[in-house]
Amino acid sequence: MVNLLNSIIEPINGWIYYPILIILLLAIGLYFTIRTGFLQGRLFKESIRVVLEKPDKEGSVSSFQALMVSTASRVGTGNIVGVSTAICLGGYGAVFWMWIVAIIGGASAFIESTLAQIYKRRDKDGNSYGGPSYYIETALKNRTLGIIFSISLILTYAVGFNMLAAFNLQTAFKAYDFYKPNVTPWIIGIVLALVTAYCILGGGKRIIQFASTLVPIMGVIYIY
């Protein structure tokens, strides 16, 4: 059964990933870059100023915290493994083209974040919530598509991103002498589950606080 599913999914995944996904991402990024007047460079100085400004109300989410949460949701195993793989296959020149694609994709990210701000909602306490599912429902007037996106996103993060990240994390410990195949993965899994539960059960603010602390540390570790 597994082999049958792989034989069906792998060709579809390969076809969608290349060339469809790459063409769409580059085309959309270029379109928004042109339509916004190359905001990636034009508003770069303003973006730095906004990130450093403090929130109007005490206890509110700052621009820096919002940036860290966004970074935490965007940067994952693929960014780290993908970069090293690209350099191995394409040499140092691959770094240049990754920079170019990242700059072009910045326009798409800006539009996505702008839509989230325009169509965000507020709860009874005045806290904001929203995202792609909400602006798909409101802007496109298609609740069904928003629900499909939400379910797909939950499954992708739960089964794809989180499980893959946890697997890669525990695999990294194989280089150490204390690694026991029948014990160490369980310990790491339990620790990750407890940390995840601590963040999720604490609500959005705890997730923001945790991400805004951890992401800069991971950035420094990644650089070195």
Side-chain angles (χ1 to χ4, degrees), residues 64 68 71 209-223:
F64 176 78
M68 291 302 100
T71 303
Q209 291 172 353
F210 193 85
S212 60
T213 302
L214 184 62
V215 170
I217 296 174
M218 295 303 296
V220 172
I221 293 175
Y222 178 68
I223 291 173

Side-chain angles (χ1 to χ4, degrees), residues 52-76:
L52 296 178
E53 70 179 7
K54 296 181 178 180
D56 296 332
K57 297 180 180 179
E58 186 177 352
S60 299
V61 178
S62 66
S63 298
F64 176 78
Q65 289 177 319
L67 175 64
M68 291 302 100
V69 174
S70 176
T71 303
S73 65
R74 294 176 187 273
V75 179

Side-chain angles (χ1 to χ4, degrees), residues 65-121:
Q65 289 177 319
L67 175 64
M68 291 302 100
V69 174
S70 176
T71 303
S73 65
R74 294 176 187 273
V75 179
T77 306
N79 297 85
I80 299 173
V81 177
V83 169
S84 59
T85 303
I87 294 174
C88 290
L89 295 177
Y92 296 111
V95 177
F96 171 77
W97 291 110
M98 283 188 284
W99 285 347
I100 297 298
V101 174
I103 292 172
I104 293 174
S108 304
F110 176 83
I111 296 299
E112 179 185 350
S113 299
T114 300
L115 287 171
Q117 290 298 316
I118 293 173
Y119 295 102
K120 68 182 178 181
R121 303 177 186 180

Side-chain angles (χ1 to χ4, degrees), residues 24-36 104-105 107-108:
L24 283 176
L25 290 177
L26 287 175
I28 293 171
L30 286 170
Y31 172 77
F32 286 131
T33 297
I34 296 171
R35 286 298 302 271
T36 58
I104 293 174
S108 304

Side-chain angles (χ1 to χ4, degrees), residues 42-57:
R42 182 167 53 84
L43 298 180
F44 181 75
K45 184 177 179 180
E46 174 66 10
S47 67
I48 300 298
R49 186 193 67 80
V50 171
V51 168
L52 296 178
E53 70 179 7
K54 296 181 178 180
D56 296 332
K57 297 180 180 179

Side-chain angles (χ1 to χ4, degrees), residues 190-206:
I190 292 172
V191 171
L192 290 176
L194 291 174
V195 172
T196 303
Y198 171 80
C199 293
I200 294 177
L201 296 178
K205 289 187 176 180
R206 184 176 292 175

